[in-house]
Amino acid sequence: MLFDIISKIRFGLSLIRLWFSMLGTRFMKKKMDRDTYYQEILRKAKVHTSDLVRISKMNLIVEGLENIPDEPVVFMGNHQSYIDIYVAVTTLSRRLILIGKKEILKIPIIGKLGREMNVLFLDRENPREGLKTILEAIRLIKEERFDVLIYPEGTRSKSREMGEFHKGSFKIPQKSRAPIVPMVVNDAYKVFEDTYRVTPGVDVHLKFLPPIYMDQLSEEDVKNIDQVLKDMIQKELDSFNA
């Protein structure tokens, strides 16, 4: 109980530091080009996400970074917890664009950080707006050579079970021709969402699998790429938890 309370206070203080740090950067925005400003905001985000890893005392185990090719990619993985995004941002040193639910905008400071990081907010209840988000992600890959990170489940499972992978998410690699880098996160939900108390010492695995190139798949696998990816991730989850 005491660890939970102290951890939440420390996390709140980290958010407040992030807020003031972003304010300072915004004052300098006019003196920076767009990419420099993005990199500076991303650097500040990584300080905050690293804080969470340290504060929670999770044991973050990262594998497979060598599987990420030196070209724009679409990171796609299972989604157990809010922690997933934190460990991904902490781990990756890439020009990264996140796609998240529009509800994130309602979260104090985090919503503002998302805007400053150019997070693309997806409205799944509005197909027209959702399509605009997907098209913008494709443009960012092809024209500005950003990586895109999206969780095809669309919401946290808060468990080891995976929900349905939404086919619309796969339009991004299909249309951009960027390879998919599968991400597997295991037991991230145990850090907080399992009990809504911060649990120290949780082993959280983040594993990057070899890239999937759409033009190397059979016509059948391209058609069912959502299930192909889900099966790959499930195999790794089964291996972690055997």
Side-chain angles (χ1 to χ4, degrees), residues 2-226:
L2 183 60
F3 179 80
D4 173 62
I5 293 171
I6 292 173
S7 296
K8 288 173 180 174
I9 291 172
R10 293 178 67 194
F11 179 74
L13 291 173
S14 177
L15 275 175
I16 292 170
R17 285 196 298 271
L18 173 64
W19 174 253
F20 283 106
S21 183
M22 284 198 304
L23 283 179
T25 303
R26 280 185 62 80
F27 286 131
M28 302 295 293
K29 187 174 183 178
K30 291 182 179 180
K31 298 180 180 180
M32 301 179 185
D33 61 49
R34 180 168 172 263
D35 198 58
T36 301
Y37 180 73
Y38 165 81
Q39 293 293 345
E40 183 61 18
I41 290 294
L42 181 60
R43 185 186 68 79
K44 294 180 185 304
K46 288 171 75 73
V47 171
H48 172 61
T49 58
S50 297
D51 280 348
L52 180 137
V53 173
R54 186 183 70 256
I55 289 167
S56 67
K57 295 188 177 181
M58 77 172 75
N59 180 25
L60 178 58
I61 303 160
V62 179
E63 299 178 72
L65 286 172
E66 69 279 3
N67 288 323
I68 304 173
D70 188 21
E71 61 181 300
V73 303
V74 182
F75 293 101
M76 305 185 86
N78 62 314
H79 196 14
Q80 294 185 343
S81 163
Y82 286 128
I83 302 298
D84 306 344
I85 301 170
Y86 275 77
V87 297
V89 171
T90 298
T91 300
L92 292 169
S93 297
R94 310 273 295 194
R95 298 182 73 242
L96 192 63
I97 292 292
L98 309 178
I99 297 182
K101 296 188 298 184
K102 67 173 184 177
E103 287 78 10
I104 294 173
L105 288 168
K106 300 176 183 178
I107 303 175
I109 303 179
I110 296 297
K112 180 64 174 176
L113 174 63
R115 286 192 184 279
E116 297 301 318
M117 284 181 65
N118 297 325
V119 170
L120 301 178
F121 294 103
L122 188 60
D123 185 350
R124 295 193 183 274
E125 296 179 2
N126 187 328
R128 180 174 294 181
E129 291 301 313
L131 179 59
K132 287 181 181 179
T133 299
I134 296 298
L135 291 175
E136 176 61 8
I138 294 167
R139 188 194 68 80
L140 286 167
I141 292 170
K142 296 176 72 172
E143 296 182 12
E144 301 193 33
R145 301 190 64 77
F146 276 96
D147 298 314
V148 167
L149 187 155
I150 185 169
Y151 295 101
E153 288 168 275
T155 190
R156 297 162 293 142
S157 66
K158 304 179 188 178
S159 71
R160 288 175 176 169
E161 301 297 321
M162 282 187 286
E164 178 186 357
F165 279 24
H166 297 285
K167 283 185 176 290
S169 305
F170 294 88
K171 291 179 181 177
I172 300 172
Q174 287 170 336
K175 299 297 184 181
S176 69
R177 311 310 294 176
I180 297 171
V181 174
M183 297 187 306
V184 186
V185 64
N186 186 61
D187 284 351
Y189 72 97
K190 290 185 176 181
V191 177
F192 177 67
E193 275 101 335
D194 196 27
T195 62
Y196 289 96
R197 291 183 179 178
V198 182
T199 302
V202 176
D203 288 340
V204 176
H205 289 84
L206 178 64
K207 186 172 183 177
F208 300 91
L209 306 183
I212 302 171
Y213 291 89
M214 303 295 287
D215 57 5
Q216 295 178 6
L217 298 179
S218 68
E219 185 177 332
E220 185 68 16
D221 282 347
V222 170
K223 181 179 178 181
N224 299 301
I225 185 62
D226 54 321

